[in-house]
Amino acid sequence: MENDLNWAIGGEAGDGIDSTGKIFARALSRAGRHVFTSKDFASRIRGGYTAYKVRTGVERVESVVDRLDILIALTERTIEENLDELRAGSVVIYDGEQTTMADVEVPTEMIGLEVPLTALAEEAGGAIMRNVVALGAACEVAGFPVEYLDEALVKRFGEKGEAIVANNREAARLGQEYVREETDCPNQFSLETTDEDYVLLNGDEAIGMAAIAAGCRFYAGYPITPATDIMEYLTGRIEAFGGAVVQAEDELSAINMALGAARAGARAMTGTSGPGIDLMSETFGLVATSETPLVIANVMRSGPSTGMPTKQEQGDLNAMLYGGHGEIPRFVLAPTTIGECFDKTVEAFNLAEKYQLPVYLTADLSMAVTEQTYRPERFDMESVEIDRGKVVDPEEVEEWLDEKGRFRAHAATEDGISPRALPGTPEAAHMTTGLEHDELGRRTEEEDVRVEQVQKRQRKVDTAREREDFDYREFGDPDADTLVLSWGSNEGAMREALEMLDDRGIDVRFLSVPYIYPRPDLTEAVESAETIIVVECNATGQFADLIEHDTLSRVERVTKYTGVRFMADELADEIEAAIDNEAPPQEVRR
Amino acid sequence: MSSETHFTDFKSDEQPTWCPGCGDFGTMNGMMKALAETGNDPDNTFVVAGIGCSGKIGTYMHSYALHGVHGRALPVGTGVKLANPDLEVMVAGGDGDGYSIGVGHFIHAVRRNIDITYVVMDNRIYGLTKGQASPTSRQGFETATSPDGTVEPPVNPLALALAAGGTFIAQSFSSDSQRHADLVQQAIEHDGFGFVNVFSPCVTFNDVDTYDYFRDAIVNLDETGHDPGNYQAARDKIMDPGTEHIGVLYQAEDSVPFSDREGIDSNMADIPDGAPERADRLVREFY
Ligand SMILES: Cc1ncc(C[n+]2csc(CCOP(=O)(O)OP(=O)(O)O)c2C)c(N)n1
Ligand code: SF4
C-alpha cells in the first residue's frame, strides 16, 4: 500500500533523533496526512539506542505496526534493532562514509541507500545538518515533496535566524538531489497530500492545553519522565493566562503547593509518574478529607520502584485506586486517546470542584509521548464548560452558618457535597484539617460525628454515579460472542486489531473504558458475552480484577509488560488465541 | 481589611488543650496581636499549621486555615500565597515539624522568598508524641528515644535560613509578649519570607530549656546595638550557638519576593466561565 508509510530514524541518544523525527512528522501533517508517532528511547542523555517512528496515512492511523518501509540508520545498531520490521523492499538510508557505518551490511532483500550525509551537510553549511540531509533523501524515496519540510524547519529553527533555516533547507535539497541523481533507488512510494489542516500533538501536551482551557492557573510539579512534558508545556504558556508553574523541591511539596492553591480558590493541578504518586499519597488523603478539589496527573511508566522510566506500562491502577492509608473517596479518569486527554482533563477539573475531592487523571507513557494528528476542531475551545460546584458567594454564606454564626464548611448535606467558601469571603472564615472533624471543620473523635463525616464523603461518590455519565466507547460487532475490554492507550491498536480479526472471520465487541472509578456498570455487557477478554499493559491484570469483582465473571487476560505498547497485529493474534483457549474452563489466571 | 480589628477577633471559641504554662499560648497571642496590628482580619488571613502541639494553633485561631500533614505546611502556604496574593499567609509549626521532617521545604521556602510569615515554636523537644529528641535538642539531652543523651549536635535554624538566602531572620521568646508580637509584626511587614524562630518552652517534657533558662540566657539584640542590615554582624551572631539572641538578626534591604520576580499578582481564583478568550491560539501552535 503506497499511501500507508512506516518510517523511522534511529541512532544514539544525543544524535537529534527526536527533533528530526518531529520535523518529518510535522511536514507530513502540514501536507494533510495523518501521523502517528512512537518513540523508543533509553533512559540516558547521550549514548544508547534511540528511535523515532512515524506511521502516516491519508486515512487516520491509530497505532504502530511491525513494518518499516524507510529507515534512516545513523548507527549500525539501528539496523540490528529493526531487522524484524524490515521487509523485502524496505529502504535503509545510511552514511557509508561514516566510520561507524563503513562496514555496514544491509541484508540483500532490502535496499541499502548510501548517502554521504555528513559531506552533503557540510556542503550546506555544517555537519550538524546531516539528519536534515537524510530527511531530504527520505522525501525523495517516499515520493513526498521536499517543500513540505520547509515549514517544519522554520518551526524548528526559526528562532535561530533565517540563515540557519536557509541552510537547513539547502541540506534537505541536497539530500533529495543526491538520491534522485546519484543513485538508482526506485522511487517506490508516492505519498499523496491533501488540503486538510491538521494539528500534531502528544498526550502530555493535550493535557496541558486542556488544563489552561479549563481554568487551571496553578501547577506545581517535580520533573519525572514521562510527565515532565506537562510541566514544560504549561511553563511559558500559563503565565499569559494569569497562572504560574512552580518547580517544587519534591513531590511532597508539589502536591502540598497545589493543595494550598486549591484552598485559595484556584483550579490547581500537580502531575507526576508512579514513584511520585507514592510520595504524594499521605497528602492525597489530606486532599480528600479536607474536601479540596485537586487534579493529579499520573503519567504511568514501568515500575515498581524506578523500574523502566522510559518504558510503557499501565501498572499504577491499584496504586491510584487504593493508595493512601484509611479510606479515601477519589475519582480515577483514564483517557483512552490523545484527543480524549483534552476532554477528560477538562472533565477532571469539573469533577474535582463539583465533588470536592482529588481526581487522578492518568495517561500512560505510550500516549504521553506519542504524537498524533487531529483536526483542530477536535480541541474545541467553545465547548469547554466550567462548573465550579457549590462555591458560595457572600450572600449565600448566611444559609450555611450555625446558630453561633460559624460557617459549616463540611455540612453533611444530602448529596454529600458541602458549601465551599473561598478565602476572602466575609463571615465564612473556617479551618480545615486532616484530622477527623465535624461540620465546622473542628477536630472530633465522637463516634456519631465520625460516622456521619465518613458517610458524607462517601456519599459524594454515589451522587456522582447518579449525576454523571460514566460511560464507555464501543466498537466492533455489538452482537459478538467475544467481548474485549481495555483502558488507556490500547484503544488505537485494538481498533485496528478488530479489522484484522474481522478479516479472519472473527467477530468481536470492543469496549474502551475511560472511567476507572467510578466506572460504568459493565455487568450486562459481560453477561451477554461468552468470552470476555481484558487487554492491558501490566502483568497481573489490574483492570481485569475489577471487572471480575464487579461482574462475578471469569475473564481472560491479555497482558503485556515488556515495556513496549501493544501492536495491532500482535493483539489480533493474542485475542484469537484467547478465544481458542476458552474451553475447557480454567482457573482465573493471576 | 478593617482598622478596627482586635486581636481577639482571631481567637476561635475552641479551648486550647495545651498544657497549662505551655509557651505556645504566648506565641499564639503574639501572632494574633501582630495580625490585628497590621490591619488584617480573619477573612483575608490564611493560617497554615503543621503537626505537633504547635500545629494545633490553627484550631485555636479564627481565620481561613489549613491544618495539614506533618512537615508540609510551608508548601501549602506557598500555594495559598501564590494563588491569591491578597491573602495574608502565616505558617506555623514546631521544631520537629519544620527542621526535621520538613527541613527540605524550609530551605526551599526561604530560598524562594515567598512573601509569607513563618513562625516556629521551638521547644527543643517533640511535645505531641510525648518527649523525644528534636533536631534542636542539645547534644547529650536525655529523652525517651535518647536515654543516654542525644549524640547529634543540634541544627541551627537561623544559620540554615541565612545560608539559604533568608531575607528576614528573627528570634523571639514567647513570654516576652510585647517584643514577640512586635517581631512577628515586622515579619509580616517584611516584603518576602519573614522567619521567626520562637523559644516556646514545653513545660511537660523539656526540663532543660525552661522559662528560667531562657530568662537568664537571652541576649536582647535591641540592647546590643545590633544592626540587622549588617550581614557580617548577623552571621557572627547566628554562628554563635552559645548565645540565645532575640530580635531581628538579619533583614535584607533589597528583598524581592518570588511573586514579584515571577510577575504573579492576580487572584487565580478568578477564571472565566469557559475557555479563556485567547485559548484558540494554543491549538494553532500545534499546526
Ligand atoms: C508522617 C508522620 N510521622 C510522624 C508523625 C507523628 N508526629 C506527630 S507530631 C510529631 C513531632 C512534633 O514535634 P514538634 O514539631 O517539635 O512539635 P511540638 O509537638 O513539640 O510542638 C510527630 C513525630 C506524624 N503525625 N506524621
Ligand atoms: S506537651 Fe509541651 S509543647 Fe505540648 S502542650 Fe504540653 S507543654 Fe506544650
Side-chain angles (χ1 to χ4, degrees):
Chain A
M1 221 201 327
E2 284 119 38
N3 253 318
D4 185 348
L5 183 87
N6 291 280
W7 175 98
I9 180 166
E12 295 256 308
D15 278 346
I17 302 299
D18 205 52
S19 97
T20 313
K22 239 181 218 165
I23 291 169
F24 190 57
R26 200 172 290 280
L28 290 162
S29 116
R30 294 317 302 133
R33 297 183 57 86
H34 277 291
V35 169
F36 187 95
T37 74
S38 67
K39 286 181 206 175
D40 195 353
F41 58 110
S43 185
R44 51 209 285 188
I45 306 308
R46 286 206 74 90
Y49 171 71
T50 169
Y52 189 103
K53 299 189 175 177
V54 175
R55 182 169 173 208
T56 173
V58 172
E59 306 290 327
R60 246 190 112 56
V61 275
E62 298 277 2
S63 73
V64 283
V65 288
D66 60 353
R67 189 189 89 222
L68 272 182
D69 303 306
I70 301 177
L71 173 67
I72 298 174
L74 297 182
T75 56
E76 232 181 298
R77 176 156 178 211
T78 307
I79 301 176
E80 285 158 27
E81 290 277 347
N82 293 284
L83 265 185
D84 285 354
E85 297 179 18
L86 291 166
R87 308 284 159 98
S90 299
V91 178
V92 180
I93 299 172
Y94 66 99
D95 187 346
E97 291 175 10
Q98 220 183 300
T99 45
T100 53
M101 299 295 283
D103 329 305
V104 75
E105 272 182 44
V106 176
T108 45
E109 67 275 26
M110 296 156 206
I111 301 166
L113 191 62
E114 224 187 296
V115 181
L117 302 175
T118 311
L120 292 173
E122 276 164 358
E123 196 179 313
I128 192 159
M129 292 180 294
R130 67 181 177 141
N131 294 3
V132 180
V133 175
L135 282 181
C139 284
E140 179 63 17
V141 177
F144 178 67
V146 73
E147 290 73 29
Y148 284 106
L149 280 182
D150 293 348
E151 239 179 283
L153 289 172
V154 171
K155 184 126 189 156
R156 175 72 181 83
F157 299 113
E159 280 175 15
K160 298 187 176 169
E162 277 175 37
I164 302 269
V165 173
N167 288 353
N168 275 283
R169 278 187 192 177
E170 171 69 4
R173 298 290 185 288
L174 289 177
Q176 181 198 30
E177 273 169 33
Y178 185 88
V179 173
R180 188 183 291 164
E181 286 158 23
E182 309 288 333
T183 72
D184 42 36
C185 178
N187 183 330
Q188 44 178 351
F189 303 93
S190 112
L191 291 194
E192 201 180 304
T193 60
T194 78
D195 293 333
E196 295 292 341
D197 269 335
Y198 294 128
V199 290
L200 182 72
L201 71 171
N202 69 29
D204 276 346
E205 290 167 334
I207 290 171
M209 176 168 67
I212 294 180
C216 173
R217 293 291 173 268
F218 186 86
Y219 184 96
Y222 187 75
I224 185 167
T225 306
T228 314
D229 276 358
I230 301 177
M231 184 156 83
E232 290 188 354
Y233 175 85
L234 290 171
T235 307
R237 288 185 180 79
I238 205 170
E239 292 83 358
F241 297 88
V245 173
V246 179
Q247 181 174 325
E249 56 273 22
D250 54 35
E251 286 82 355
L252 299 122
S253 177
I255 189 171
N256 278 283
M257 282 183 188
L259 163 66
R263 291 300 319 173
R267 283 196 154 189
M269 179 179 188
T270 181
T272 184
S273 187
I277 291 300
D278 293 349
L279 290 182
M280 289 181 180
S281 44
E282 186 194 18
T283 301
F284 185 80
L286 170 64
V287 173
T289 202
S290 66
E291 306 195 69
T292 307
L294 191 67
V295 177
I296 302 161
N298 176 17
V299 187
M300 293 177 287
R301 62 189 211 177
S302 175
S305 191
T306 333
M308 299 195 290
T310 61
K311 298 294 174 188
Q312 160 72 352
E313 200 161 286
Q314 299 176 306
D316 299 349
L317 198 141
N318 286 342
M320 289 184 285
L321 277 175
Y322 309 117
H325 63 282
E327 294 170 305
I328 304 176
R330 70 194 75 194
F331 291 168
V332 183
L333 267 55
T336 60
T337 64
I338 293 167
E340 206 189 32
C341 283
F342 182 82
D343 318 324
K344 289 290 172 272
T345 302
V346 175
E347 192 175 342
F349 281 101
N350 284 334
L351 289 174
E353 287 203 317
K354 276 158 84 176
Y355 299 96
Q356 299 173 14
L357 43 64
V359 178
Y360 270 123
L361 174 75
T362 189
D364 45 57
L365 179 134
S366 288
M367 181 151 58
V369 305
T370 289
E371 266 127 0
Q372 200 175 355
T373 35
Y374 283 92
R375 285 179 199 283
E377 309 87 79
R378 174 67 186 77
F379 307 102
D380 178 14
M381 293 296 172
E382 297 289 314
S383 70
V384 171
E385 277 173 27
I386 287 176
D387 187 341
R388 305 215 61 178
K390 280 197 205 168
V391 175
V392 291
D393 51 41
E395 296 81 63
E396 293 164 335
V397 168
E398 194 88 32
E399 282 173 47
W400 295 100
L401 300 181
D402 73 354
E403 70 290 347
K404 287 184 174 164
R406 300 171 302 191
F407 186 68
R408 293 161 58 224
H410 299 277
T413 55
E414 218 166 282
D415 59 9
I417 307 162
S418 306
R420 180 167 167 234
L422 307 188
T425 311
E427 310 305 325
H430 63 278
M431 127 103 175
T432 308
T433 172
L435 292 164
E436 191 55 274
H437 43 258
D438 61 13
E439 289 198 334
L440 301 172
R442 296 149 62 118
R443 181 175 61 94
T444 183
E445 289 171 4
E446 261 177 64
E447 290 178 25
D448 48 347
V449 180
R450 156 72 176 176
V451 170
E452 182 182 55
Q453 286 293 318
V454 170
Q455 289 178 347
K456 170 215 141 52
R457 293 193 291 264
Q458 199 50 44
R459 205 149 61 233
K460 296 193 282 191
V461 180
D462 301 331
T463 302
R465 281 202 182 94
E466 279 161 30
R467 293 185 189 167
E468 307 293 329
D469 198 10
F470 296 118
D471 55 0
Y472 49 77
R473 251 201 308 269
E474 172 151 10
F475 306 94
D477 175 2
D479 302 319
D481 291 335
T482 303
L483 176 72
V484 175
L485 299 158
S486 89
W487 65 286
S489 72
N490 310 311
E491 180 182 305
M494 189 53 216
R495 281 177 64 185
E496 217 162 309
L498 283 182
E499 288 171 25
M500 297 175 181
L501 288 163
D502 190 47
D503 289 345
R504 299 179 201 176
I506 301 168
D507 294 333
V508 172
R509 181 184 184 196
F510 168 47
L511 310 183
S512 183
V513 187
Y515 298 98
I516 309 293
Y517 190 82
R519 54 186 169 273
D521 185 353
L522 296 162
T523 326
E524 241 183 78
V526 165
E527 281 172 358
S528 63
E530 269 169 37
T531 310
I532 305 111
I533 301 168
V534 176
V535 169
E536 56 192 311
C537 285
N538 57 46
T540 54
Q542 297 177 25
F543 189 58
D545 286 345
L546 297 179
I547 304 298
E548 279 178 347
H549 167 275
D550 288 358
T551 64
L552 301 177
S553 301
R554 187 174 67 87
V555 308
E556 297 282 332
R557 284 143 211 256
V558 169
T559 59
K560 185 171 183 184
Y561 42 97
T562 56
V564 179
R565 70 192 309 160
F566 280 111
M567 291 199 217
D569 21 20
E570 159 190 45
L571 259 184
D573 293 346
E574 290 232 23
I575 283 164
E576 189 174 355
I579 296 171
D580 294 342
N581 237 358
E582 179 39 23
Q586 55 178 39
E587 290 283 294
V588 170
R589 261 201 289 149
R590 278 184 201 268
Chain B
M1 272 187 244
S2 73
S3 52
E4 299 104 66
T5 313
H6 189 258
F7 88 95
T8 50
D9 295 344
F10 287 97
K11 219 169 157 50
S12 86
D13 55 5
E14 246 186 284
Q15 274 313 308
T17 55
W18 286 320
C19 305
C22 175
D24 294 352
F25 286 101
T27 308
M28 177 171 78
N29 286 338
M31 286 165 61
M32 297 192 300
K33 240 183 233 157
L35 280 166
E37 281 299 316
T38 47
N40 290 290
D41 66 36
D43 294 331
N44 85 313
T45 302
F46 202 111
V47 174
V48 188
I51 296 289
C53 295
S54 46
K56 291 182 178 174
I57 199 154
T59 316
Y60 308 143
M61 286 175 66
H62 175 62
S63 71
Y64 283 93
L66 185 114
H67 181 212
V69 297
H70 195 27
R72 319 292 164 205
L74 279 171
V76 174
T78 300
V80 173
K81 184 69 189 180
L82 294 180
N84 186 350
D86 300 336
L87 298 174
E88 189 62 53
V89 179
M90 194 170 267
V91 179
D95 40 295
D97 189 75
Y99 308 145
S100 196
I101 191 165
V103 70
H105 305 311
F106 173 53
I107 302 285
H108 291 283
V110 170
R111 171 171 91 87
R112 284 191 188 99
N113 205 24
I114 305 286
D115 190 13
I116 58 182
T117 303
Y118 183 39
V119 177
V120 179
M121 285 155 259
D122 185 358
N123 54 15
R124 302 181 174 174
I125 189 100
Y126 283 11
L128 193 68
T129 48
K130 300 196 162 61
Q132 301 81 18
S134 108
T136 49
S137 295
R138 301 146 180 256
Q139 192 164 358
F141 186 47
E142 288 171 23
T143 72
T145 48
S146 58
D148 301 327
T150 55
V151 290
E152 303 107 320
V155 304
N156 178 340
L158 308 183
L160 290 179
L162 192 72
T167 56
F168 182 94
I169 301 170
Q171 192 151 256
S172 81
F173 179 33
S174 69
S175 80
D176 186 352
S177 54
Q178 191 47 50
R179 183 81 185 107
H180 165 61
D182 182 53
L183 285 166
V184 177
Q185 180 173 340
Q186 287 184 57
I188 293 174
E189 284 164 350
H190 175 70
D191 233 2
F193 192 81
F195 167 49
V196 188
N197 190 63
V198 189
F199 302 136
S200 190
C202 171
V203 293
T204 305
F205 296 110
N206 193 332
D207 52 11
V208 180
D209 301 290
T210 59
Y211 286 101
D212 284 344
Y213 161 74
F214 282 114
R215 263 184 219 115
D216 281 351
I218 276 171
V219 172
N220 188 341
L221 290 170
D222 289 350
E223 289 153 15
T224 68
H226 173 68
D227 168 16
N230 183 336
Y231 186 87
Q232 301 299 336
R235 196 185 61 187
D236 292 346
K237 295 243 159 27
I238 286 172
M239 292 313 286
D240 167 19
T243 314
E244 314 282 12
H245 293 106
I246 66 164
V248 181
L249 284 123
Y250 180 65
Q251 181 165 21
E253 274 147 27
D254 53 358
S255 168
V256 185
F258 182 88
S259 46
D260 287 9
R261 272 181 275 135
E262 293 281 326
I264 301 168
D265 55 7
S266 54
N267 179 353
M268 296 180 192
D270 301 332
I271 57 166
D273 279 341
E277 256 174 48
R278 293 155 296 145
D280 275 343
R281 74 177 191 209
L282 296 174
V283 186
R284 283 198 298 274
E285 265 188 65
F286 293 112
Y287 271 115

